[in-house]
Amino acid sequence: MAVSLWKSLLQTTKSRLFLQRGVSLYNGVHGFEEEAIKKKLQQFGGGSINLSKEDHGIRVLTLNNPKQMNAFTGTMMLELQERVTELENWKDGKGLIIHGAENTFCSGSDLNAVRAMSSSEDGMNMCMFMQSTLTRLKRLPLISVAVVQGKALGGGAEFTTACDFRLMTPGSEIRFVHKQMGLVPGWGGAARLVQIVGSGVALKLLSGALKVDPERAVHLGLAEETLPSSDETRSLEEAQAWLNQYTKAPAEVIQAVKKVVTAGRELQLEAALWAEKDIFGTVWGGPANLQALAQSTKRK
Ligand SMILES: CC[C@H](C(=O)O)C(=O)SCCNC(=O)CCNC(=O)[C@H](O)C(C)(C)COP(=O)(O)OP(=O)(O)OC[C@H]1O[C@@H](n2cnc3c(N)ncnc32)[C@H](O)[C@@H]1OP(=O)(O)O
């Protein structure tokens, strides 16, 4: 009796905890000093993370540091956390498009900052900071699409895996270059890549630091499709049209859909079923459900 009670308590906690907003993966127990790393990251300025106004439930997040091929400076890492918090509190959100400024995605960490943060303590804190932020991004109750124009290298390649889908433009490239730096992914990109393409393909892409062009990415299941245009504006319009196919419902329904899928991906079966039950309860008898019931029974 006590064991099953304990198990139920654990399942309920797990199924609710992972849906909570703003929860970091790490704390002091893991040696994570968030305030210390935020202070350190503040020293490495440049670039910005911009978030557009919403348009039909969709917003565009731009990695904006074109002088450095949209490499992630310290302040951009801090701004990303702020934007993710904003998105976690966006009640009417349905979709998020992520791209890099000036027709290239992201060249990974700013190597100037990396060189200055080469101590183990700084590296581990940056790693835990970015893992937490990108995990929160992946768990947003929004359908997220990375539009890969130009190059997504290193941490930039990892960033694409923190989105639900990837769309690539002709001539673009995703490449996990970490091996060439004597590294492995540190922003959660390895764990997510294995979930996306499987461990065998992930091992090849990481150990070979292989260039993945759009055709190969689609073949491997890393990208959904190659967009027709390589023009920055046109390809964003094409990505918006692609995303619109999946966001044709009230925000609370799209958000519930993403949450049940996240639960199924991240939780053990019983905890996932508990989470699904809780999420189902938020839409059963809700305005969208009642409106649908009041209409004809035939689905278009
Ligand atoms: C866990 C993540 C991991 C970590 O933190 O350890 C990383 O992500 S480490 C970074 C991994 N990324 C790279 O190694 C890519 C480095 N960059 C390149 O290979 C090239 O710049 C490339 C292929 C992106 C573009 O080459 P291209 O010839 O077209 O342009 P340039 O190389 O002249 O670059 C233009 C301009 O941007 C600066 N730049 C590019 N990438 C970075 C970067 N990651 N950090 C800082 N600065 C970067 C480059 O220095 C040039 O600036 P300039 O002042 O004109 O020299």
Side-chain angles (χ1 to χ4, degrees), residues 161 176 188-198 201-203 205-206 222:
T161 67
F176 295 84
R192 293 189 297 267
L193 185 64
V194 169
Q195 287 184 333
I196 295 167
V197 298
V201 171
L203 186 55
L205 296 186
L206 294 177
L222 183 56

Side-chain angles (χ1 to χ4, degrees), residues 248-296:
K248 285 183 189 140
E252 68 270 19
V253 175
I254 299 297
Q255 291 189 17
V257 167
K258 173 64 184 284
K259 286 176 185 173
V260 292
V261 170
T262 302
R265 180 183 68 232
E266 296 200 18
L267 299 174
Q268 292 293 319
L269 179 61
E270 283 186 35
L273 294 174
W274 283 60
E276 184 176 307
K277 164 186 64 70
D278 292 344
I279 298 160
F280 174 82
T282 66
V283 287
W284 176 262
N289 178 221
L290 295 177
Q291 189 181 352
L293 292 173
Q295 285 159 2
S296 80

Side-chain angles (χ1 to χ4, degrees), residues 22-28 31-41 77-78 81-82 85 125-126 128-130 132-133 136:
V23 177
S24 174
L25 291 176
Y26 301 103
N27 56 42
F32 183 44
E33 300 298 336
E34 181 157 10
E35 287 319 307
I37 189 63
K38 286 172 98 168
K39 236 163 125 181
K40 174 72 85 166
L41 291 173
M77 292 180 188
L78 296 171
Q81 186 188 57
E82 291 163 9
T85 301
N125 270 316
M126 181 273 287
M128 290 186 277
F129 183 87
M130 284 303 283
S132 285
T133 304
R136 287 171 59 192

Side-chain angles (χ1 to χ4, degrees), residues 75-92:
T75 50
M76 285 170 73
M77 292 180 188
L78 296 171
E79 286 192 22
L80 179 64
Q81 186 188 57
E82 291 163 9
R83 297 295 88 74
V84 167
T85 301
E86 212 176 314
L87 290 164
E88 284 174 338
N89 292 295
W90 178 26
K91 295 284 172 282
D92 302 326

Side-chain angles (χ1 to χ4, degrees), residues 65-73 77 104 106-115 117 126-127 130 151-158 173 175 177-178 180-181 183-188:
N65 183 20
K67 284 202 314 295
Q68 292 180 287
M69 306 298 277
N70 300 323
F72 252 95
T73 63
M77 292 180 188
T104 192
C106 172
S107 174
S109 288
D110 172 358
L111 288 166
N112 306 307
V114 168
R115 290 184 188 102
M117 291 201 298
M126 181 273 287
C127 163
M130 284 303 283
K151 297 191 188 303
L153 306 181
E158 295 192 65
E173 170 192 321
R175 192 177 181 198
V177 296
H178 304 76
Q180 295 173 337
M181 303 189 53
L183 287 172
V184 295
W187 294 0

